[in-house]
């Protein structure tokens, strides 16, 4: 049995190199996860894998059942979660196709089911979210990127927006003033829910495009996003290969 899981985002609905052992359908108190949990071996280590947007990439960010996904992983004994996410780059360093290992997050989402602590509770529960990503897991991911010579960014603030539309230039300007380096749509409530379940959680962000108003082009095209994701996901595979022996 493994204690490591990978949550795949846009561009990673299937995990290249995964030798599949079996797939497991899990029903949760919070509804159905995005898909079956796939168990297998990746670069010599047993892991679990779940595609955040579903096997066919059909679930938009605001309709992902984050609570079910993370509960299902904890239910099968997972204690460490590597989240892969496609993002937009806001600051000049966060250029397309680059990997980043963020260390902070700002939540701009709304109306998502964002906590397990609701309903008939015996007491009010708060969790510390000062450092939203697990330090040890982040360090291992950075060491793996260094080993693979990927030229990643070792920190940054991820701004989580509602989606599914992309942001306006003015919204990105506001996020920049708030201190965001990256913009994505799935970072929250996923990171907060992982903390509530006491899972070690960290994100590998793949910059798929310049955020609105930040690149040389006036508009963002899906062709551009696809090209950058192809390059970035190749680096994710190299990071994972270097990471598995470190876990």
């Amino acid at each position: 049995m493994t204690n490591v899981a990978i949550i795949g985002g846009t561009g990673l609905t299937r995990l290249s190199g995964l030798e599949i052992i079996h797939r497991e359908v899990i029903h949760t108190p919070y509804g159905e996860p995005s898909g079956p949990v796939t168990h297998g071996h990746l670069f010599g280590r047993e892991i679990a894998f779940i595609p955040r947007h579903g096997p066919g990439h059909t679930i938009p960010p605001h309709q992902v059942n984050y609570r079910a996904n993370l509960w299902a992983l904890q239910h099968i004994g997972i204690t460490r979660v590597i989240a892969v996410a496609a993002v937009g780059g806001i600051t000049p360093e966060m250029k397309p196709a680059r990997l980043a290992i963020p260390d902070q997050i700002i939540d701009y989402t709304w109306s998502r089911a964002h906590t397990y602590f609701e309903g008939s509770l015996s007491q009010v529960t708060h969790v510390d979210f000062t450092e939203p990503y697990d330090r040890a897991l982040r360090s291992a991911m950075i060491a793996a990127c260094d080993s693979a010579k990927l030229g990643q960014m070792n920190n940054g603030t991820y701004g989580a927006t509602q989606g599914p539309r992309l942001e306006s230039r003015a919204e990105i300007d506001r996020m920049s003033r708030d201190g965001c380096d990256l913009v994505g749509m799935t970072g929250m409530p996923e990171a907060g829910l992982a903390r509530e379940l006491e899972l070690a959680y960290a994100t590998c962000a793949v910059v798929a495009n310049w955020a609105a108003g930040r690149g040389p082009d006036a508009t963002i095209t899906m062709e551009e996003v696809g090209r950058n994701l192809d390059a970035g996901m190749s680096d994710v595979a190299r990071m994972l290969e270097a990471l598995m022996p470190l876990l």
Side-chain angles (χ1 to χ4, degrees):
M1 177 181 291
T2 182
N3 67 348
V4 175
I6 298 171
I7 299 177
T10 298
L12 195 65
T13 55
R14 295 177 180 84
L15 200 53
S16 177
L18 180 65
E19 300 173 10
I20 297 174
I21 301 172
H22 67 97
R23 290 184 173 89
E24 182 178 8
V25 175
I26 301 173
H27 304 288
T28 87
Y30 304 96
E32 298 306 303
S34 296
V37 176
T38 300
H39 297 262
H41 290 101
L42 183 68
F43 304 117
R45 183 183 182 93
E46 187 177 347
I47 65 139
F49 173 76
I50 189 167
R52 186 184 291 115
H53 299 284
H57 197 265
T58 56
I59 307 171
H62 65 296
Q63 292 185 327
V64 171
N65 194 336
Y66 298 95
R67 291 196 299 182
N69 287 347
L70 288 162
W71 188 96
L73 294 178
Q74 188 205 46
H75 179 69
I76 62 172
I78 297 300
T79 59
R80 291 179 284 184
V81 176
I82 300 156
V84 180
V87 300
I90 297 176
T91 54
E93 297 79 12
M94 299 298 184
K95 59 185 179 181
R98 193 170 207 175
L99 301 191
I101 314 298
D103 61 332
Q104 280 295 325
I105 196 163
I106 299 176
D107 188 5
Y108 298 95
T109 67
W110 47 270
S111 76
R112 299 183 181 188
H114 66 281
T115 182
Y116 294 103
F117 299 128
E118 61 184 14
S120 301
L121 302 175
S122 59
Q123 63 181 22
V124 175
T125 303
H126 304 284
V127 296
D128 177 26
F129 206 52
T130 305
E131 303 296 334
Y133 302 107
D134 182 76
R135 184 171 299 177
L137 187 53
R138 283 190 70 253
S139 295
M141 291 165 68
I142 290 168
C145 288
D146 287 342
S147 175
K149 297 180 172 58
L150 297 181
Q152 78 286 349
M153 292 299 296
N154 292 338
N155 49 44
T157 297
Y158 178 129
T161 59
Q162 178 70 3
R165 67 164 177 82
L166 298 175
E167 301 73 31
S168 71
R169 178 167 49 83
E171 287 171 326
I172 294 299
D173 288 344
R174 180 189 67 163
M175 295 177 71
S176 178
R177 291 192 297 270
D178 287 349
C180 295
D181 303 286
L182 303 163
V183 55
M185 300 177 188
T186 59
M188 289 293 286
E190 195 171 86
L193 292 167
R195 180 59 51 85
E196 289 187 354
L197 292 178
E198 299 182 353
L199 300 173
Y201 175 97
T203 291
C204 177
V206 182
V207 183
N209 55 274
W210 288 113
R214 287 300 188 269
D217 299 323
T219 59
I220 299 169
T221 67
M222 292 304 104
E223 290 79 11
E224 170 198 5
V225 169
R227 287 194 304 270
N228 292 326
L229 279 179
D230 286 344
M233 289 304 168
S234 176
D235 283 350
V236 168
R238 294 169 59 196
M239 183 274 288
L240 291 173
E241 183 175 9
L243 177 63
M244 290 301 109
L246 303 179
L247 298 177

